[in-house]
Amino acid sequence: MFAYLQPDGSWFLSNAGIVLAGERSVHVDTTATVRRTQALLEAARRVGAPSRRLLVATHHHGDHTNGTATLDPEVMIAQRSVPEELATGIVVPPPGVFTPVEWGEIDVRMPDVLFDDGLTLRFDDHEIEVRAAGRPAHTRGDAVVWLPESRVLFAGDLLFVGGTPFALGGSVQGWIEVIAWLRTFDADVIVPGHGPLATTADLDAVERYLRFVWHLAHEAHEAGVPPLEAARSVDLGEFAAWLDPERLVGNVHRAIAELDGREVDVLAAFGDMIAYNGGRPLTCHA
């Protein structure tokens, strides 16, 4: 079993996983660009991963699924919400949102096998458990991959380490609840969606951040303060050194929308994140 890490873990620089399973390899996520997925495949070859591949997508975002056609798995597995989110989402961001990226020819592939709560993959004497978060958090279709024998958890973007969590497409309140669920695995090692290898203790900082966002959104909602103004009014404190601080604005957009019981305006949220970033496109090194 191998974790494939892409420093520094900022926008579209996500982690993946490779699990050797007899005559097959099980991949956990791909990467954001064709070039980076080709590098992932080369790393898989170096560690002896068979070319017969299964793919588990931890959620639909492009930094985890844009490489599916390049990876070319026999079977792609995902939570039941993922096809709809893939079909309605934006694979490659429009110009001006991020600094330029060489994405390559991205071909969106739909999952072959869907699950609601989870499923177990069995290979010889080994088991790989795929479990759904069960509620919106980072997205509506988050899932994790659990290796019970080695006590390793591939958490997808339910865990960011050193980077700002992003709940725009999910739920701030739901994510707080999911953090408690992640702790129940009692993993020895957690592979986050972004950032270096982690342990259960790293979940604490994410929970503190989400509670910080929820509190800020409550105050802004009661005072009628727009998300961008609310984000500009606070000191990020212990979270100031985290990558991509502009995500605070998107998170407040999501939290206020939750309080209002409405859908979030994604375009407005990204516009405000760019404004928070000094009017400049968001930095992406993918």
Side-chain angles (χ1 to χ4, degrees):
M1 169 269 303
F2 300 88
Y4 184 81
L5 308 180
Q6 294 194 103
D8 58 5
S10 57
W11 286 108
F12 289 94
L13 289 174
S14 58
N15 298 330
I18 306 165
V19 182
L20 306 187
E23 296 179 349
R24 292 179 175 84
S25 56
V26 178
H27 284 251
V28 182
D29 291 335
T30 68
T31 64
T33 71
V34 169
R35 176 176 57 87
R36 287 185 175 274
T37 302
Q38 289 169 341
L40 170 62
L41 280 171
E42 180 55 37
R45 294 187 192 100
R46 288 198 300 270
V47 299
S51 59
R52 298 183 64 189
R53 306 179 189 97
L54 277 70
L55 170 65
V56 179
T58 61
H59 61 292
H60 76 285
H61 282 161
D63 51 340
H64 297 261
T65 59
N66 277 358
T68 50
T70 304
L71 190 75
D72 192 26
E74 291 182 338
V75 178
M76 178 178 170
I77 301 167
Q79 202 275 339
R80 193 167 300 278
S81 300
V82 167
E84 180 183 352
E85 295 202 280
L86 280 172
T88 59
I90 299 173
V91 177
V92 174
V97 176
F98 291 96
T99 51
V101 172
E102 184 183 336
W103 301 99
E105 292 295 325
I106 304 299
D107 183 16
V108 177
R109 171 171 172 169
M110 292 295 167
D112 306 290
V113 175
L114 303 176
F115 60 88
D116 292 305
D117 299 324
L119 53 79
T120 300
L121 305 174
R122 293 183 173 86
F123 302 94
D124 299 326
D125 297 328
H126 301 289
E127 290 189 351
I128 300 173
E129 297 182 13
V130 185
R131 297 289 176 259
R135 68 204 70 189
H138 174 62
T139 69
R140 292 192 296 117
D142 297 306
V144 301
V145 175
W146 170 236
L147 308 181
E149 293 177 5
S150 55
R151 306 200 62 77
V152 172
L153 181 69
F154 289 89
D157 281 4
L158 294 172
L159 177 60
F160 287 70
V161 178
T164 304
F166 195 40
L168 183 61
S171 165
V172 175
Q173 185 62 38
W175 200 341
I176 291 170
E177 296 170 2
V178 167
I179 292 293
W181 172 70
L182 291 174
R183 290 194 181 99
T184 67
F185 288 91
D186 194 25
D188 290 339
V189 176
I190 303 179
V191 182
H194 298 259
L197 295 179
T199 66
T200 300
D202 290 289
L203 297 170
D204 296 345
V206 173
E207 181 178 2
R208 287 196 303 273
Y209 176 81
L210 293 169
R211 291 190 182 280
F212 165 76
V213 171
W214 193 243
H215 177 73
L216 175 61
H218 264 277
E219 290 188 332
H221 185 258
E222 290 180 1
V225 174
L228 177 58
E229 184 179 337
R232 283 173 166 165
S233 72
V234 296
D235 182 349
L236 287 171
E238 66 171 302
F239 316 116
W242 285 3
L243 297 168
D244 312 314
E246 66 274 1
R247 291 176 182 163
L248 173 63
V249 188
N251 292 332
V252 175
H253 265 273
R254 166 55 66 182
I256 290 177
E258 289 181 61
L259 292 167
D260 281 338
R262 59 174 172 81
E263 269 305 308
V264 71
D265 186 334
V266 174
L267 293 179
F270 269 96
D272 281 353
M273 283 192 286
I274 291 170
Y276 186 91
N277 194 45
R280 301 179 302 273
L282 309 180
T283 301
C284 179
H285 297 296

